[in-house]
């Protein structure tokens, strides 16, 4: 049953990518209370910066440098984007709605920016590790194994950061009670931009990992972003563990569905499952009550 | 005469277009504990929020040790050692008791004393020590008040403002908190205490202000004999 194993592995690869993306989305959602629709284009920008820095068609510094600088640039872009696109509207009652518009505008801005800088030609990153590996008696690219390993590792690091560092616990705290955070002397604005920056860094990392599996276009992140949104809602908005669990469930479901039903009907199936789950459990698959 | 620690001068503020404070003037002197009381909705909490920087004053001055703090960021107020424990504070419901307390010492000046202060809070409220790993949203009302005060103490206050710390508590718990607050103020922390229960205030403070319609209506020494009738009169006016 080699096919069952390869379906399983491709599901885990998808799940790993979704887990990183959805965690980024959910981090911003819990902390700032908004959805960042530029998350998808952040992925593409991360991949393009890594391409520019790393590949021989760019500056040729190698894939590792591309990865590091790509993520770092995205952290910076996230930090600045929060200042410009979110901060001015945070005090407003309708910030959720305004943020939909402003983050979508940012997304369009970055999309055209990347076209202006890098043109419309499809690009692809070299795999971080070349070659193939035998896993569960299935040949799978080493790069995909790397994705399977990096995702949980990154998320564990993120969890440790949020749980045990001063800034990390402050980020968790401010999302639960802004007024108390202020009264304890926290720099709430700085915590907001840090959370946004961290989330953008995660987007960059997922984009770079995806960039050697798929072609890099401005819409590299668009389709996975929709899946990540499903994951974030499916997992119960705001619960980190739930989001990660849901990412792997959706990834596996997608892989199975693509194999049996085909690429075309799979998104419809995923939305159908999400709606069913939300009908039965309005707080999501793993979400807390109220 | 020595300079007051906290001085509020003709303070005016409100929410949006609704004015709530209509010129509050009061002072807290060295080593003093003052109590604020008055009818519901007349601006006691609003006054504290303006002092701690959650709300901007429209007019008037707030001075801490002679330095103007009106309209500065809450962070700047905390950094000067003025700690505000707000009314009905739910803190961080998804964090444990000890996580909440440690975050109380977030400000730089409180950080160095964090662990000794934590021990002191646990000594003052042994119940919190027993529940240190419990999520704070699962605490009872009384335990939550203890946690809120404990978090305030973790900020190493040079001046502590408590807003209705015994709201909705049974008499036995109220006595427990009265003891605890008494101990805190006895180590020399000046106190601004808001309470509906005037007897509670008399037991803990040196001077009382009655806030009525967003202004100070009465300024009395707690050592003055107050009987129940007089207090009722203060609330409801004569005749
Ligand atoms: N966030 C807010 N937005 C608008 N109005 C508010 C807000 N908070 C309080 N108010 C109004 O300001 C007025 C004063 O409220 P405040 O909380 O200061 O009263 P209080 O004296 O503390 O009352 P209580 O004894 O019930 O705690 C009330 O009319 C209240 O409705
Ligand atoms: Mg009040």
């Amino acid at each position: 049953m080699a096919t069952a194993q390869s379906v399983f592995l491709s599901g885990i690869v998808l799940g790993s990518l979704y887990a990183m993306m959805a965690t980024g989305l959910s981090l911003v959602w819990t902390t700032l209370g908004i959805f960042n629709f530029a998350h998808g284009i952040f992925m593409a920008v991360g991949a393009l910066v890594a391409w520019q820095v790393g590949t021989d068609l760019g500056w040729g510094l190698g894939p590792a440098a591309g990865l590091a600088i790509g993520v770092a640039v995205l952290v910076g872009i996230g930090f600045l984007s929060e200042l410009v696109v979110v901060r001015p509207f945070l005090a407003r009652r309708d910030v959720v709605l305004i943020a939909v518009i402003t983050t979508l505008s940012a997304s369009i801005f970055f999309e055209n920016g990347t076209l202006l800088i890098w043109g419309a030609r499809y690009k692809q990153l070299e795999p971080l590790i070349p070659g193939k590996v035998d896993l569960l008696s299935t040949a799978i690219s080493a790069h995909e194994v790397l994705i399977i390993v990096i995702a949980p590792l990154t998320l564990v690091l993120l969890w440790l950061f949020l749980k045990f560092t001063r800034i990390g616990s402050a980020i968790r705290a401010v999302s639960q009670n802004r007024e108390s955070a202020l009264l304890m002397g926290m720099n709430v604005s700085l915590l907001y931009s840090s959370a946004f920056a961290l989330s953008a860094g995660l987007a960059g990392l997922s984009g770079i990992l995806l960039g050697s599996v798929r072609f890099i276009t401005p819409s590299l992140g668009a389709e996975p972003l929709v899946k990540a949104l499903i994951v974030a809602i499916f997992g119960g908005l705001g619960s980190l563990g739930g989001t990660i669990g849901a990412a792997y469930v959706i990834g596996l479901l997608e892989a199975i569905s693509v194999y049996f039903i085909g690429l075309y009907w799979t998104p419809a199936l995923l939305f159908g499952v999400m709606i069913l789950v939300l009908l039965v459990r309005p707080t999501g698959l793993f979400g807390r009550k109220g | 005469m020595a300079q007051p620690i906290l001085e509020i001068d003709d303070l005016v503020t409100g929410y949006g277009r609704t004015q709530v404070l209509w010129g509050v003037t009061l002072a807290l002197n060295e080593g003093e504990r003052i109590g604020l009381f008055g009818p519901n909705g007349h601006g006691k909490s609003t006054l504290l929020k303006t002092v701690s920087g959650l709300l901007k004053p429209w007019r008037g001055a707030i001075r801490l040790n002679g330095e103007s703090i009106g309209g500065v960021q809450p962070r700047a107020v905390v950094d000067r050692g003025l700690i505000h424990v707000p009314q009905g504070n739910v803190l961080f419901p998804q964090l444990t008791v000890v996580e909440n307390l440690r975050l109380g010492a977030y400000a730089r000046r409180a950080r160095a004393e964090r662990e000794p202060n934590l021990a002191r809070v646990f000594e003052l409220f042994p119940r919190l020590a027993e529940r240190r790993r419990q999520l704070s949203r699962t605490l009872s009302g009384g335990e939550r008040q203890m946690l809120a005060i404990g978090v305030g103490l973790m900020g190493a206050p040079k001046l502590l403002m408590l807003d209705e710390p015994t709201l909705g508590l049974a008499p036995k718990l109220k006595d427990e908190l009265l003891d605890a607050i008494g101990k805190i103020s006895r180590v020399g922390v000046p106190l601004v205490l808001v309470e509906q229960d005037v007897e509670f205030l008399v037991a803990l403070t040196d001077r009382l202000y009655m806030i009525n319609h967003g202004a100070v209506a009465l300024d009395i020494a707690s050592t003055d004999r107050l009987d129940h009738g007089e207090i009722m009169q203060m609330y409801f006016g004569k005749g």
Side-chain angles (χ1 to χ4, degrees), chain B residues 15 20 38-47 49 87 164 196:
Chain B
Y15 304 91
V20 174
N40 293 120
H42 281 224
K44 303 178 295 293
S45 298
T46 303
L47 174 63
K49 282 190 236 171
Q87 184 175 341
E164 305 212 26
Q196 298 290 354

Side-chain angles (χ1 to χ4, degrees), chain A residues 22 37 41 44 59 120 127 178 182 184 203 210 230 240 250 254 278 287:
Chain A
F37 284 93
I41 190 69
W59 301 332
R178 179 169 182 276
L182 284 168
M184 291 180 192
L210 194 62
I230 296 181
L240 194 65
I250 295 277
E254 181 176 345
L278 289 181

Side-chain angles (χ1 to χ4, degrees), chain B residues 65-118:
Chain B
N65 298 313
E67 198 184 351
S68 170
I69 57 163
V72 304
Q73 290 288 325
R75 194 152 34 99
V77 177
V78 173
D79 285 342
R80 287 172 170 83
L82 199 173
I83 307 291
H84 173 194
V85 177
Q87 184 175 341
N89 191 2
V90 296
L91 293 159
F92 308 122
Q94 306 292 351
L95 300 191
T96 63
V97 165
V98 72
E99 281 176 323
N100 269 287
L101 287 168
R102 289 223 165 90
L103 282 172
Y106 190 85
R108 181 156 296 134
R109 54 175 292 277
R111 217 178 306 161
E113 301 165 57
R114 193 177 77 177
E115 294 311 306
N117 278 339
L118 187 65

Side-chain angles (χ1 to χ4, degrees), chain A residues 163 166-167 169-170 172-174 176-188 191 288, chain B residues 52 54 74-75 78 84 86 89-95 99-100 103-104 106-107 111 137 151:
Chain A
K163 182 80 185 167
R166 190 174 117 86
I167 306 283
S169 9
R172 281 189 304 147
V174 74
Q176 294 171 34
N177 189 340
R178 179 169 182 276
E179 186 173 285
S180 276
L182 284 168
L183 289 179
M184 291 180 192
M186 295 180 192
N187 188 340
V188 169
L191 292 172
R288 287 184 288 263
Chain B
S52 59
L54 289 176
R75 194 152 34 99
V78 173
H84 173 194
N89 191 2
V90 296
L91 293 159
F92 308 122
Q94 306 292 351
L95 300 191
E99 281 176 323
N100 269 287
L103 282 172
Y106 190 85
R111 217 178 306 161
R137 83 185 144 93
V151 166

